[in-house]
């Protein structure tokens, strides 16, 4: 991910990403519930016949995630996208969405305590991510805060609390699938945040906000409140 201090020139890139994500969601929902509708297509062999309640939970979570993602992309993200970033996430995110649907949607185990905890984690992570992003967006929209670093709300607990929300929600989604292999996704995501995205973003913020960022960094954890 490349951080560029510019707000324009990303409509086509965002449209490409959003369109691919939306199409992926529609296909995924069809695969999860095709048995209840006409299913004579070339996708028939990919239909998912796992526990019905698990499929419903996965579908609801994926729908919520895609809606939240669209809000983040079009409302909260003001920076300019690069084509390299756009191509990478446009390829990776549909794969991630399908992987969760496939692993969970084909699981015939009955839903139990693990899945309930997963739903709670998913909702908590979604709240942390979206609420923190919204508060920052609302604060930045005020004229008196133009050009200032936002350090309030949930961001007072951790500098990149929105990333923690993503890790928590995808961990919850992995629990809903009841598949150990799906925990690789939040693990890789966490490592990517810690070793690549956060250091890159910190360098950008320090260059942009100088002393204001340095003071913030000295007294605030990076990702996990009171821990890291």
């Amino acid at each position: 991910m490349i951080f560029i201090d510019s707000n324009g020139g990303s409509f086509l890139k965002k449209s490409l990403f959003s369109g691919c994500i939306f199409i992926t969601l529609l296909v995924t929902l069809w695969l999860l519930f095709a048995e209840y509708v006409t299913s004579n297509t070339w996708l028939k062999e990919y239909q998912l016949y796992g526990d019905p309640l698990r499929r419903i939970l996965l579908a609801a979570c994926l729908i919520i995630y895609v809606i939240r993602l669209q809000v983040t992309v079009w409302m909260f993200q003001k920076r300019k996208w690069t084509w390299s970033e756009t191509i990478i996430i446009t390829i990776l995110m549909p794969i991630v969405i399908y992987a969760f649907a496939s692993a969970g949607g084909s699981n015939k185990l009955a839903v139990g305590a693990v899945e309930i905890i997963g739903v709670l984690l998913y909702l908590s992570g979604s709240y942390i991510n979206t609420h923190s992003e919204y508060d920052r967006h609302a604060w930045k929209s005020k004229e008196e805060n133009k050009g200032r670093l936002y350090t309030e709300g949930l961001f007072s607990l951790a500098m990149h609390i929105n990333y923690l929300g993503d890790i928590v929600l995808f961990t919850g989604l992995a629990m809903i699938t009841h598949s150990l292999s799906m925990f690789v996704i939040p693990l890789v995501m966490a490592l990517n945040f810690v070793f690549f995205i956060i250091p890159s973003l910190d360098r950008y913020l320090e260059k942009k906000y100088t002393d204001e960022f340095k003071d913030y960094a000295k007294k605030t954890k990076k990702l996990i409140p009171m821990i890291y």
Side-chain angles (χ1 to χ4, degrees):
M1 186 177 292
I2 301 173
F3 297 95
I4 302 174
D5 195 11
S6 174
N7 296 331
S10 295
F11 178 80
L12 181 59
K13 303 178 187 73
K14 290 182 177 182
S15 297
L16 173 64
F17 173 71
S18 296
C20 289
I21 291 297
F22 183 68
I23 292 172
T24 300
L25 177 64
L26 291 180
V27 173
T28 298
L29 293 177
W30 187 91
L31 293 176
L32 285 169
F33 303 109
E35 64 183 284
Y36 302 111
V37 295
T38 303
S39 58
N40 283 329
T41 74
W42 64 274
L43 290 171
K44 184 177 177 62
E45 63 180 291
Y46 301 103
Q47 288 178 214
L48 304 168
Y49 297 104
D51 179 74
L53 180 55
R54 190 187 311 279
R55 282 184 282 157
I56 291 173
L57 289 176
L58 281 169
C61 288
L62 292 175
I63 290 171
I64 292 171
Y65 178 73
V66 168
I67 292 173
R68 286 182 49 257
L69 192 60
Q70 300 304 323
V71 171
T72 299
V73 166
W74 292 104
M75 182 179 294
F76 299 152
Q77 278 202 353
K78 301 300 183 182
R79 65 177 179 81
K80 185 176 181 179
W81 286 26
T82 65
W83 272 113
S84 58
E85 173 190 1
T86 303
I87 292 171
I88 289 172
I89 63 174
T90 300
I91 293 173
L92 287 181
M93 286 310 303
I95 293 174
V96 168
I97 290 173
Y98 174 74
F100 278 114
S102 179
S106 59
N107 191 332
K108 294 182 173 14
L109 288 175
V111 169
V114 171
E115 289 78 8
I116 293 174
I117 295 172
V119 169
L120 294 176
L121 285 176
Y122 177 84
L123 294 175
S124 298
S126 298
Y127 173 81
I128 291 170
N129 181 278
T130 300
H131 184 69
S132 63
E133 293 275 14
Y134 172 78
D135 281 351
R136 179 169 60 183
H137 170 76
W139 187 87
K140 288 260 188 188
S141 297
K142 296 178 181 179
E143 190 63 33
E144 63 268 25
N145 296 324
K146 296 291 184 181
R148 294 177 57 200
L149 177 65
Y150 179 67
T151 62
E152 301 175 10
L154 292 177
F155 281 99
S156 67
L157 303 177
M159 295 165 61
H160 307 287
I161 193 77
N162 52 331
Y163 294 158
L164 176 64
D166 275 337
I167 296 169
V168 171
L169 78 86
F170 276 106
T171 299
L173 201 53
M175 294 180 72
I176 295 172
T177 69
H178 208 108
S179 172
L180 284 175
S181 63
M182 288 298 98
F183 285 94
V184 171
I185 293 176
L187 175 60
V188 171
M189 180 180 293
L191 293 175
N192 186 41
F193 283 145
V194 171
F195 293 106
F196 297 101
I197 293 181
I198 288 177
S200 177
L201 178 54
D202 282 354
R203 288 192 294 271
Y204 164 78
L205 293 174
E206 183 175 358
K207 182 178 179 180
K208 182 175 182 178
Y209 297 104
T210 60
D211 291 340
E212 189 178 7
F213 175 79
K214 291 178 181 178
D215 291 340
Y216 177 48
K218 285 179 182 178
K219 61 184 180 182
T220 313
K221 297 298 183 182
K222 287 187 180 295
L223 184 65
I224 307 172
M226 297 183 291
I227 297 176
Y228 168 74

